[in-house]
């Protein structure tokens, strides 16, 4: 079940959609590689100097390399560790030293966009807590920001909140203001000289989470309306870690700084190519220390769907966000010479002004013997003499770069992939189904002078929304025995992704120097762009979490996460299992309801440490990670991850029971009754099934027991606690493990 299958689909998408990816970093010198040496929390007190400790450790292992050549980065503000260029041998020696939690190669991560808020039932006029919102700081770890965008103007903003401890180190020609109150940039790969966003991705995510309200925003008139972030009065702190790619060395620096700078929430629309064990994953490590300091990290699930177990940011202390559609679909029509109109999917702002152009089949547009590649409009030789000024029909999806290069005037593609969202291209494009593509081909074959027109995009209402989009990465959490430290089996008990938010065709701010399509020949400069990806879903959840926090500044990250999850709207369960909870977690985010969840499933950092014990970490290591005298429980490790106080539930049916504890945050005096919805052949009981509270913050526990006689694949069920006002819902996924 947990095999990560690798079709070409996610690969193509990762190029298109920007979830940031982490690959093994380059080799330095002959056999040195950059490793991250993770040492856990900073010691609580005493005269500890992390820098001298890092130096002395390195000195003990280095052979034939100087300290300055080897040491790449020290992490010392919010947690402890460093990055260094090491040989295999040096790495081995270091791994066995006292005080080290893990040593792992630094990977390169990849980048993972406003109708969406209204669609989520979060109107402009929503009730707000303005004073607290203006003191809320959203940290964005991404490709930087375009500070001159209207979305980040500081008109009407007071000076930064007093609690802010960060600074503006945005580099060359980068000025912060009272909206963007902090900026830092890191450049492991390229020589960056500022936190300015030359890509567009970071500007897009930041404006979704916390951008100002900007009227009359559009992409060349498409999707015109008011662009706004979830918390427009909040402040933004920018941590630029990527241009086209991102190094884990930099990502850890960003977390190290952001936590100490005093951000309230972190948005990280980046990820690796596959899930990794927590202490060898920079985002898991950084977000763990953020969690311990009361900061929730919202991350993108990845764009590796629809394959199962493609989800990447899986640690239970972060919020992992899947991407779903909104009720606004962008389409564009093709009109053939014979009058046939076919509906395609593409964001096409180009206007052919109703004129028809000659239409040619790619397979017949090759001067040489490259027919097989030209029919797909992939690499090969589209003959410029044959395609110039014409519309080319291709048998598969492509970025349009090559047809543009061959001076074609437009491209029609037939491909059943990417059919549930519209991509943007550097020339007029319409992506049709293979079925409609065949109609275009037979028209080309039968007409004497085939011709066509590709219309400018239009907007349709989609009554089926929200549905999870194909590219959104799926669970289950792919962590299995082979990547955990010891042989103790980790239950796949935390559903991941956790929640779904809009991630399809979202209009938000863009960098005017970033290509709107990431095709270098596309030199259009735009202030707003329409973009899709779990990268885009993530900042919607970040913004929603920030919004909840403005009403409950004292809530833990786990409580905020729980509030978002238990109030999410259930999504369509009539689908294949990988399109159910493993695709959308608890369901579709509802920021307004999340402010008032009734009960929360709270969790402390200690609970997460106990899970680490299950994963084979010893008390010694746990103490390093926690920076205190925490220890693994002496008793047998019977409390498996299924018992982690998580707001969603997943378990092997044969494990029969699990416990949860809820904290009352609704009415002081209230009584909740449990309702279970399940498959008829599976018995699920909740004991007790009535919980009575007398005070706020009171906790009550219950046990869920599952029994079945039969062997099933995967069953979806749910538990709802209801007091007459608050409905506290947890999905329950039951599987029969191998
Ligand atoms: C954009 O294009 C460049 C160059 O082709 C590529 O390296 C990069 O990965 C692309 N970026 C994204 C986010 O797809
Ligand atoms: C700073 O950046 C802005 C935005 O790109 C640009 O208009 C301005 O000319 C730059 N100023 C300098 C001194 O480079
Ligand atoms: C752990 O530390 C706390 C306070 O720092 C102390 O109260 C407690 O006794 C310690 N526990 C153990 C087992 O040492
Ligand atoms: C839960 O299951 C375990 C192991 O099957 C059993 O020992 C325990 O009594 C059960 N707990 C409850 C409350 O049913
Ligand atoms: C609240 O508590 C009082 C007793 O303290 C009880 O009489 C009343 O019914 C309770 N109200 C609700 C809504 O449970």
């Amino acid at each position: 079940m947990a095999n990560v299958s690798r079709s070409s689909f996610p690969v193509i998408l990762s190029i298109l959609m920007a979830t940031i990816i982490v690959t093994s970093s380059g080799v330095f010198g002959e056999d040195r590689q950059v490793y991250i040496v993770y040492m856990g929390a900073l010691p609580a007190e005493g005269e500890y100097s992390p820098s001298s400790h890092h130096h002395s450790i390195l000195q003990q292992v280095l052979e034939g390399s100087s300290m300055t050549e080897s040491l790449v980065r020290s992490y010392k503000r919010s947690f402890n560790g460093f990055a260094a260029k090491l040989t295999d041998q040096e790495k081995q020696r270091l791994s066995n030293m006292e005080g080290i939690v893990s040593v792992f190669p630094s990977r390169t991560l990849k980048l993972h966009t406003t109708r969406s808020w209204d669609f989520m039932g979060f109107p402009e006029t929503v009730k707000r807590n303005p004073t607290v919102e203006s003191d809320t700081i959203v940290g964005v770890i991404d490709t930087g920001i375009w500070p001159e965008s209207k979305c980040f103007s500081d008109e009407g903003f007071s000076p930064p909140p007093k609690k802010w401890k960060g600074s503006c180190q945005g580099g060359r020609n980068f000025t912060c203001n009272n909206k963007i109150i902090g900026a830092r940039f890191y450049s492991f790969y390229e020589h960056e000289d500022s936190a300015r966003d030359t890509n567009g991705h970071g500007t897009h995510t930041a404006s979704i989470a916390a951008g100002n309200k900007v009227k009359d925003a559009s992409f060349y008139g498409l999707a015109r309306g008011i662009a706004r972030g979830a918390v427009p009065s909040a402040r933004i702190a920018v941590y630029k870690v990527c241009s086209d790619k991102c190094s884990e060395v930099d990502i850890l620096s960003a977390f190290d700084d952001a936590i100490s700078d005093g951000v309230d929430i972190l948005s990280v629309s980046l990820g690796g190519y596959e899930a990794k064990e927590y202490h060898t994953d920079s985002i898991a490590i950084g977000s763990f220390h953020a969690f311990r300091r009361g900061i929730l990290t919202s991350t993108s699930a990845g764009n590796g769907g629809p394959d199962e177990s493609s989800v990447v940011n899986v640690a239970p202390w972060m919020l992992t966000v899947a991407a779903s559609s909104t009720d606004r679909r962008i389409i564009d029509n093709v009109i053939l010479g014979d009058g046939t109109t076919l509906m395609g999917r593409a964001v096409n702002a180009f206007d052919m002004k109703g004129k028809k152009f000659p239409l040619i089949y790619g397979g017949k547009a090759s001067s040489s013997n490259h027919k097989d590649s030209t029919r797909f409009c992939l690499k090969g030789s589209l003959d410029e003499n044959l395609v110039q000024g014409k519309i080319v029909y291709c048998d598969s999806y492509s970025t349009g770069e090559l047809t543009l290069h061959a001076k074609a005037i437009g491209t029609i593609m037939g491909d059943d992939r990417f059919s549930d969202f519209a991509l943007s291209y550097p020339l007029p494009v319409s992506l049709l189904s293979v079925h409609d593509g065949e109609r275009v081909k037979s028209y080309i074959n039968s007409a004497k002078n085939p011709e066509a027109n590709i219309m400018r995009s239009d907007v349709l209402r989609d009554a089926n929304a929200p549905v999870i989009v194909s590219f959104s990465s799926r669970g289950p959490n792919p962590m299995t025995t082979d990547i955990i430290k010891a042989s103790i089996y980790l239950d796949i008990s935390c559903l991941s992704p956790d929640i779904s938010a809009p991630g399809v065709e979202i209009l938000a701010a863009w960098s005017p120097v970033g290509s709107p399509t990431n095709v270098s020949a596309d030199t259009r400069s735009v202030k707003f762009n329409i973009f899709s990806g779990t990268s885009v879903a993530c900042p919607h959840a970040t913004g929603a979490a920030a919004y909840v926090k403005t009403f409950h500044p004292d809530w833990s990250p786990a409580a905020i996460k729980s509030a978002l999850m238990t109030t999410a709207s259930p999504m369509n369960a009539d689908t294949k299992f990988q399109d159910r909870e493993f695709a959308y977690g608890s369901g579709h985010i509802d920021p307004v309801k999340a402010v008032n969840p009734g009960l929360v499933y709270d969790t402390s950092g200690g609970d997460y440490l106990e899970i680490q014990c299950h994963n084979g970490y010893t008390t010694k290591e746990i103490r390093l990670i926690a920076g205190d005298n925490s220890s693994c429980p002496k008793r047998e490790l019977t409390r498996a991850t299924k018992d982690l106080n998580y707001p969603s539930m997943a378990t092997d049916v044969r494990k029969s029971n699990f416990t949860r504890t809820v904290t009352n945050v609704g009415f002081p005096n209230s009584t909740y009754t449990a309702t279970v919805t399940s498959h008829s052949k599976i018995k699920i009981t909740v004991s007790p099934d009535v919980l009575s509270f007398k005070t706020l913050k009171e906790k009550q526990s219950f046990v869920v027991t599952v029994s079945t006689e039969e062997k099933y694949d995967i069953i979806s069920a749910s538990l709802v606690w209801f007091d007459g006002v608050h409905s506290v819902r947890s999905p329950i996924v039951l599987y029969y493990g191998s």
Side-chain angles (χ1 to χ4, degrees), residues 86 107 203 259 397:
L86 302 168
R107 297 171 298 161
T203 300
I259 296 167
Y397 160 82

Side-chain angles (χ1 to χ4, degrees), residues 205-321:
T205 54
S207 67
I208 291 168
N212 300 327
K213 200 173 99 178
V214 176
K215 285 190 190 138
D216 203 27
S218 75
F219 177 69
Y220 294 103
L222 294 178
R224 189 185 295 279
I226 296 170
R228 62 188 168 99
V231 280
S233 324
R235 318 301 177 108
I236 296 171
V238 179
Y239 300 88
K240 176 173 177 174
V241 296
C242 332
S243 43
D244 274 335
K245 50 187 182 176
C246 340
S247 164
E248 288 200 287
V249 168
D250 290 343
I251 289 168
L252 272 177
S253 285
F255 273 105
D256 195 27
D257 284 333
I259 296 167
S260 282
D261 287 349
V263 303
D264 290 298
I265 216 120
L266 274 167
S267 199
V268 187
S269 290
L270 317 171
Y273 289 92
E274 57 193 18
K276 284 185 78 199
E277 194 269 322
Y278 306 141
H279 297 296
T280 67
D281 180 304
S282 55
I283 298 177
I285 291 171
S287 59
F288 178 76
H289 291 282
F291 182 95
R292 301 257 301 174
R293 295 276 285 273
I295 305 162
L296 178 64
T297 303
S298 166
T299 60
S300 42
N303 301 326
D307 291 353
E308 62 184 89
S309 295
S310 48
V311 60
V312 290
N313 290 315
V314 295
W317 46 84
M318 50 190 164
L319 181 66
T320 310
V321 190

Side-chain angles (χ1 to χ4, degrees), residues 324 464-468 500 569-588 716 729:
S324 48
N464 290 326
V467 292
I468 291 287
S500 178
S569 319
M571 289 177 74
N572 186 4
D574 291 334
T575 44
K576 294 176 295 206
F577 83 83
Q578 69 267 36
D579 290 334
R580 302 200 302 254
E581 288 82 356
F582 290 127
Y584 50 69
S586 292
H588 196 253
S716 299
R729 182 178 173 276

Side-chain angles (χ1 to χ4, degrees), residues 401-422:
E401 192 169 9
L402 292 164
T403 46
L404 179 70
H405 189 68
K407 300 207 165 64
I409 204 151
T411 308
I412 302 172
M413 306 164 182
D415 201 320
D416 287 335
R417 299 171 301 165
F418 320 124
S419 62
D420 57 349
F421 65 106

Side-chain angles (χ1 to χ4, degrees), residues 588-616:
H588 196 253
I589 197 163
D590 186 336
V592 173
K593 272 196 185 150
V595 168
N596 198 5
L599 303 173
V600 291
Y601 293 82
D602 208 349
T603 316
S604 69
D607 296 332
Y608 292 136
L609 289 170
E610 202 171 321
I611 292 206
Q612 314 282 316
C613 299
H614 280 278
N615 291 0

